[in-house]
Amino acid sequence: MRAELTSSGVIADTVPFSSAKGFGHADLIGVCKSLASNSFIATENLSCEQTHLTKEGESAVSVGSPEAVVFSLVPEQGIGQDELNKVAGAAAKAGLAKAMQSKWLAVEKVDGAKIVKRAVGSITDTIQQQLKDVSVSGSAAALAPADLAVLKKRGLLSVVTVKSLKVSKGAAFDSWGIKAVADLTHEMLTKGTWKEQVFKPLNLEAEGKPPTGGSLHPLMKVKAMFREIFLECGFEEMQTQQYVESSFWNFDALFQPQQHPARDAHDTFFIKTPAEAPTVPAEYLERVKRTHEVGGEGLADEFASKSRGWRYDWSEAESRKNLLRTHTTAASSRTLYQIAEKMRAGGEFKPQKYFSIDRVFRNEALDATHLAEFHQVEGFIIDRNLSLGNLMGTIADFYRRLGDEFADLKFKPTYNPYTEPSMEFHAYHAGLGKWVEVGNSGVFRPEMLRPMGFPEDVSVIAWGMSLERPTMIKYGFKNIRDLFGHKIDLNLVRTHPIVRWT
Ligand code: PHE
């Protein structure tokens, strides 16, 4: 090959070259690829279509097309179809059908027997002629496309694409035979041998190897981003290790009545062992009980006229029932109680901001946007005289920091037993083409804050939002079950583009 290139500079096509030299074409291609990787030669891909006659095609060239063979076997006076089938052998079936289609032959019934007769005096076997032309020229170029299609369909011709290479001298042609090296070494530099060395060209198009190091699950990555945003805005993180909660902190402390449907086993996973929480602060329990039953009635301040409670007999046993927390608002009620306790013990009130991101559990039917175990992003701000405007501003600001996908946020009034007013917020999922609820919020009711011991002018704005849904919106997941749960593809942790970002 070297001699060939040195004299002519180019090998126009490896197919004729390999047959002239007696090389196998596939072997020659292998050699070319290896030489090209060292830039000794340069290659260009070629492809051409080659036409071959099949076994049936060859036979039609020598004896005629099946229909012409059958025609020639029909004598002037006609022949019984059964007999014709016998004498025509392999050509019989297709040949007779084609000859009848071309109106060369016709079948008549004479005394119940089928007789095949000639319908024309003589015929021209165009199929045979076309195949002869192809076999002589070695190409189907002269055939009309429709004729070529017929020959292919009848299995008389086959067309194959042959891939080959055009070969010319490469950048390192003159170093042919010298092994090129990939790396410049310290030794080559100190001894000066790099001057004689041939180096492999750099392939700047090559893809890097995927790093083998560990990476965070996409959801944990987004959790880290959320956390970062809260920390930047001066929020402190709440304690959320308590997956098992008492109904007291999950519901009662939040002024959620004991008959509320969310406290049903259809919505909540209750715990069998241990079924009951041991202790709840006694004084606080008493105040929560009284607020559920009669609100502020009998108190000597403005709360007396503000709330009449739910008016039922509150059960301590019910409040002790253990469950898997249904929302991280249970962590907010515990945190707020602790803040109130410090205040009651004489500590000075200071505005504070808290957040948490952790798992919650609901006895739900699973679908593309619901899981029974998922993550909630919870937060509250406690200060004097906070309003709904503060709440909406805080949430809009959070989503603005999260990304442009959330530029359109919609607020919608809703109801929670523990907030008044209450607002859901919705974001647009471009992939699903619809608005999805991403969170719920509100201003905590005095029936929640007063039993804890907060004064009248202290207010708390709060929210609970999904971690999974904004992640789906931001990274185009259409099904929550592809993101989190026991069915996810673990490769996601290594291959999803999000996990590459720091
Ligand atoms: N706990 C509510 C939920 O799970 C969210 C919420 C938190 C609403 C705080 C208002 C205030 O949907």
Side-chain angles (χ1 to χ4, degrees):
M1 188 186 287
R2 176 158 214 276
E4 211 79 22
L5 283 175
T6 311
S7 62
S8 64
V10 53
I11 293 168
D13 189 333
T14 47
V15 168
F17 182 77
S18 66
S19 48
K21 299 278 175 193
F23 303 147
H25 189 245
D27 296 340
L28 180 63
I29 296 290
V31 169
C32 288
K33 294 235 160 104
S34 143
L35 290 172
S37 75
N38 286 306
S39 294
F40 294 140
I41 61 168
T43 59
E44 224 176 276
N45 292 329
L46 304 175
S47 105
C48 77
E49 299 212 318
Q50 280 188 358
T51 313
H52 296 282
L53 297 192
T54 61
K55 218 168 88 237
E56 292 74 17
E58 300 279 7
S59 133
V61 168
S62 55
V63 301
S65 66
E67 54 271 40
V69 170
V70 170
F71 183 82
S72 69
L73 292 171
V74 177
E76 205 71 52
Q77 70 280 13
I79 182 173
Q81 187 170 350
D82 294 344
E83 201 188 333
L84 177 63
N85 280 343
K86 253 182 250 160
V87 289
K93 203 161 173 248
L96 181 60
K98 285 279 170 205
M100 287 180 50
Q101 213 177 41
S102 313
K103 302 217 166 25
W104 292 354
L105 296 175
V107 179
E108 281 173 23
K109 268 201 173 163
V110 180
D111 298 334
K114 283 186 181 166
I115 304 294
V116 183
K117 288 203 164 155
R118 293 189 175 194
V120 289
S122 65
I123 54 149
T124 316
D125 191 356
T126 4
I127 296 285
Q128 184 188 35
Q129 199 47 54
Q130 288 168 346
L131 291 169
K132 270 187 185 162
D133 292 347
V134 172
S135 108
V136 172
S137 69
S139 140
L143 283 181
D147 292 339
L148 177 62
V150 168
L151 295 180
K152 276 207 273 187
K153 193 165 170 223
R154 289 187 62 180
L156 300 165
L157 270 189
S158 72
V159 178
V160 287
T161 306
V162 177
K163 298 208 150 108
S164 58
L165 297 174
K166 177 181 171 186
V167 178
S168 51
K169 291 182 186 179
F173 183 75
D174 293 332
S175 322
W176 185 293
I178 303 174
K179 192 138 182 53
V181 293
D183 297 316
L184 177 67
T185 62
H186 174 256
E187 193 186 332
M188 288 175 203
L189 283 172
T190 50
K191 293 192 177 157
T193 52
W194 62 270
K195 286 184 214 147
E196 289 91 54
Q197 198 56 255
V198 175
F199 291 96
K200 281 191 180 169
L202 289 179
N203 178 5
L204 298 178
E205 305 293 315
E207 285 183 13
K209 269 195 195 163
T212 49
S215 43
L216 282 179
H217 182 287
L219 201 60
M220 294 303 105
K221 201 101 189 172
V222 176
K223 177 174 169 178
M225 268 166 64
F226 277 37
R227 205 168 163 265
E228 197 72 23
I229 296 178
F230 281 120
L231 293 173
E232 272 170 13
C233 297
F235 282 77
E236 280 177 63
E237 197 159 358
M238 286 185 254
Q239 300 278 328
T240 49
Q241 65 274 53
Q242 233 160 316
Y243 287 12
V244 174
E245 251 312 350
S246 64
S247 293
F248 182 84
W249 291 108
N250 194 82
F251 291 128
D252 296 289
L254 290 160
F255 194 53
Q256 188 137 333
Q258 294 186 328
Q259 314 76 19
H260 194 278
R263 301 176 68 143
D264 200 280
H266 293 296
D267 292 299
T268 301
F269 292 113
F270 286 93
I271 303 285
K272 279 196 187 141
T273 348
E276 289 206 344
T279 52
V280 170
E283 257 185 79
Y284 176 46
L285 182 136
E286 265 318 304
R287 294 196 298 269
V288 167
K289 173 179 162 74
R290 202 186 54 226
T291 312
H292 275 244
E293 290 181 345
V294 298
E297 239 171 52
L299 294 178
D301 62 16
E302 89 314 319
F303 189 47
S305 60
K306 281 217 168 130
S307 177
R308 301 178 65 242
W310 296 116
R311 309 203 87 77
Y312 68 102
D313 287 333
W314 187 83
S315 147
E316 185 180 334
E318 188 65 38
S319 81
R320 284 186 187 271
K321 282 188 186 167
N322 276 333
L323 44 76
L324 287 179
R325 70 171 169 226
T326 63
H327 51 188
T328 38
T329 319
S332 297
S333 60
R334 280 181 179 271
T335 311
L336 280 165
Y337 173 74
Q338 282 158 16
I339 295 174
E341 278 296 281
K342 277 194 197 135
M343 248 180 109
R344 281 156 58 87
E348 207 181 302
F349 174 76
K350 64 174 181 6
Q352 290 173 69
K353 306 196 252 190
Y354 276 91
F355 80 99
S356 71
I357 310 175
D358 211 336
R359 288 194 192 188
V360 299
F361 308 84
R362 290 193 194 164
N363 199 351
E364 295 235 46
L366 310 185
D367 65 23
T369 48
H370 291 88
L371 292 173
E373 179 177 352
F374 57 100
H375 292 79
Q376 258 190 346
V377 182
E378 189 84 20
F380 70 80
I381 301 179
I382 177 166
D383 202 344
R384 293 208 146 91
N385 304 317
L386 289 170
S387 69
L388 192 62
N390 295 114
L391 175 63
M392 290 169 72
T394 306
I395 287 166
D397 180 48
F398 177 83
Y399 278 98
R400 231 185 339 265
R401 288 166 190 264
L402 204 56
D404 291 341
E405 299 85 352
F406 305 98
D408 280 341
L409 205 60
K410 278 190 186 171
F411 290 91
K412 181 177 152 194
T414 187
Y415 170 80
N416 298 308
Y418 39 92
T419 52
E420 177 62 34
S422 312
M423 295 279 225
E424 282 174 4
F425 34 101
H426 297 241
Y428 190 71
H429 190 310
L432 293 177
K434 62 175 188 185
W435 290 87
V436 290
E437 186 191 335
V438 288
N440 182 359
S441 63
V443 182
F444 278 142
R445 291 177 76 117
E447 285 95 335
M448 173 176 165
L449 301 180
R450 294 303 299 273
M452 289 176 173
F454 287 112
E456 193 197 353
D457 62 347
V458 166
S459 43
V460 179
I461 54 176
W463 56 88
M465 41 203 199
S466 154
L467 178 66
E468 283 83 357
R469 291 194 189 170
T471 309
M472 288 169 74
I473 292 173
K474 204 165 163 60
Y475 300 112
F477 287 90
K478 285 198 179 157
N479 194 327
I480 197 164
R481 289 167 290 192
D482 294 336
L483 178 65
F484 183 60
H486 63 291
K487 284 193 178 157
I488 72 151
D489 174 9
L490 277 181
N491 271 325
L492 174 87
V493 177
R494 259 170 282 129
T495 56
H496 197 283
I498 328 170
V499 302
R500 295 273 148 264
W501 302 340
T502 50

